[in-house]
Amino acid sequence: MAILQLGSIEAGGTKFVCAVGNEDYRTLDKVRIPTTTPEETLDKTVAYFKKFPDLKAIAISSFGPIELRRNSPKYGFITDTPKKGWANTDFLGRLKQDFDIPMAWTTDVNGSAYGEYVTSTLFNEKINSLVYFTIGTGVGAGAVIDGKFVGSMGHPEVGHVRLKRHPDDLDFPGICPFHGDCLEGLVSGPTFDARLGKPGKDVPLTDHVWDIMAYYVAQAALQETLLLRPDKIVFGGGVVSEPFLVKVRAEFAKLLNGYVDVGDLTDYIVMPLVKENGSATLGDYALALKEYNK
């Protein structure tokens, strides 16, 4: 029986992770391509996938903002991104110049959310919905309910919600160029340098800044809990660790104050099931398979 080859592109601001897997979501081959100019990066991406003539479908999970509305003339574009040189890039159009196969197109966090959703079902978790946050260089979130993404006018921009400020953090203006002290402006990786003059990896978990950040992240989890009532909330990205989530759960419990039942917090606010930042790649395989089967 022939192996069904499915392509995944996890398009990040610093690198593209391109991979080929099968219908069992197992990776057969993978490469990392530095994100330079759109022309160079997409040309290298196309060249990689041309090595697999039996490829049946591709899914792309991209940094954004991106256009998701299929009735828009800019469907498949990276739109008003601050990433230099990438604004108004016809990502999907470039791939379609060389590949006449089904393609799925979504955000990087949606891809990760879908990967975690699919993996949860494989682990026999009885879930119908989840929210996936990434907290790293930037902050974003995707949500899946009954196998479908949340958002029709566009994708959620949860990284830019506003929060109540921690009383010990009122003098920090935040670093978001659009909103200053939104969620991303207060908890993304670069905020450590802005606050303390050193990267987060050099800041011990005993530093009070982690308590401040846990307070903000818990607020974001509370918002998603009360808006969407998901079965679980997953946190990934370079800033996140299990010891940090212990702090987040404690702050979340205080903020929620028992208002609604979310079950055991160690099962509700969790790290990704897919290891080594592989959630988006696995999600892409599943999305590509879904597109192929339409």
Side-chain angles (χ1 to χ4, degrees):
M1 183 176 176
I3 295 172
L4 190 67
Q5 293 186 354
L6 304 166
S8 165
I9 303 172
E10 183 184 358
T14 57
K15 68 179 181 297
F16 277 32
V17 179
C18 299
V20 173
N22 63 17
E23 65 268 40
D24 294 328
Y25 313 136
R26 298 182 186 277
T27 295
L28 308 173
D29 194 79
K30 183 165 64 173
V31 68
R32 288 172 175 82
I33 298 169
T35 307
T36 55
T37 65
E39 294 79 11
E40 181 180 28
T41 309
L42 293 176
D43 283 352
K44 288 181 177 179
T45 299
V46 166
Y48 170 73
F49 285 109
K50 279 187 173 181
K51 295 189 297 182
F52 301 93
D54 295 328
L55 199 66
K56 299 301 183 184
I58 299 175
I60 305 101
S61 299
S62 176
F63 71 92
I66 67 174
E67 181 56 78
L68 289 174
R69 293 171 293 181
R70 288 182 179 266
N71 62 350
S72 168
K74 287 200 170 182
Y75 173 71
F77 277 64
I78 294 175
T79 57
D80 299 322
T81 179
K83 176 73 175 171
K84 186 178 179 182
W86 282 82
N88 294 308
T89 294
D90 186 3
F91 196 130
L92 210 55
R94 174 65 186 89
L95 294 182
K96 287 183 176 181
Q97 290 175 17
D98 288 271
F99 302 103
D100 184 20
I101 57 176
M103 295 185 191
W105 169 249
T106 194
T107 65
D108 46 7
V109 282
N110 272 355
S112 294
Y114 203 74
E116 287 296 311
Y117 177 82
V118 169
T119 304
S120 294
T121 61
L122 294 175
F123 275 68
N124 295 316
E125 291 187 10
K126 291 179 169 51
I127 70 162
N128 297 309
S129 60
L130 63 76
V131 176
Y132 180 98
F133 278 89
T134 185
I135 305 177
T137 304
V139 177
V144 180
I145 299 176
D146 293 329
K148 297 180 179 178
F149 294 123
V150 171
S152 55
M153 278 295 290
H155 51 83
E157 286 285 3
V158 180
H160 297 275
V161 298
R162 307 310 291 259
L163 307 164
K164 183 178 180 180
R165 296 298 301 269
H166 192 287
D168 297 340
D169 195 44
L170 298 179
D171 293 334
F172 181 60
I175 65 169
C176 174
F178 293 96
H179 311 114
D181 61 348
C182 61
L183 177 62
E184 181 172 291
L186 292 173
V187 304
S188 61
T191 61
F192 287 100
D193 281 294
R195 281 190 177 97
L196 304 173
K198 54 186 174 181
K201 64 181 179 63
D202 295 335
V203 180
L205 205 65
T206 52
D207 193 298
H208 185 43
V209 72
W210 286 106
D211 302 316
I212 292 169
M213 292 177 70
Y215 176 68
Y216 295 140
V217 172
Q219 285 185 61
L222 180 69
Q223 290 182 16
E224 297 305 307
T225 296
L226 299 179
L227 281 168
L228 299 179
R229 295 296 275 122
D231 290 321
K232 69 175 179 179
I233 301 177
V234 184
F235 284 94
V239 169
V240 178
S241 65
E242 180 58 37
F244 175 59
L245 287 190
V246 171
K247 292 178 178 287
V248 172
R249 292 185 193 110
E251 291 293 338
F252 177 87
K254 287 188 284 185
L255 292 169
L256 185 62
N257 197 28
Y259 184 63
V260 294
D261 179 25
V262 296
D264 188 331
L265 285 182
T266 59
D267 295 324
Y268 183 67
I269 294 175
V270 297
M271 295 282 289
L273 286 171
V274 185
K275 304 307 178 188
E276 298 178 357
N277 297 315
S279 303
T281 297
L282 191 147
D284 281 347
Y285 295 153
L287 289 168
L289 182 61
K290 189 176 181 181
E291 202 71 21
Y292 173 73
N293 287 329
K294 280 185 177 179

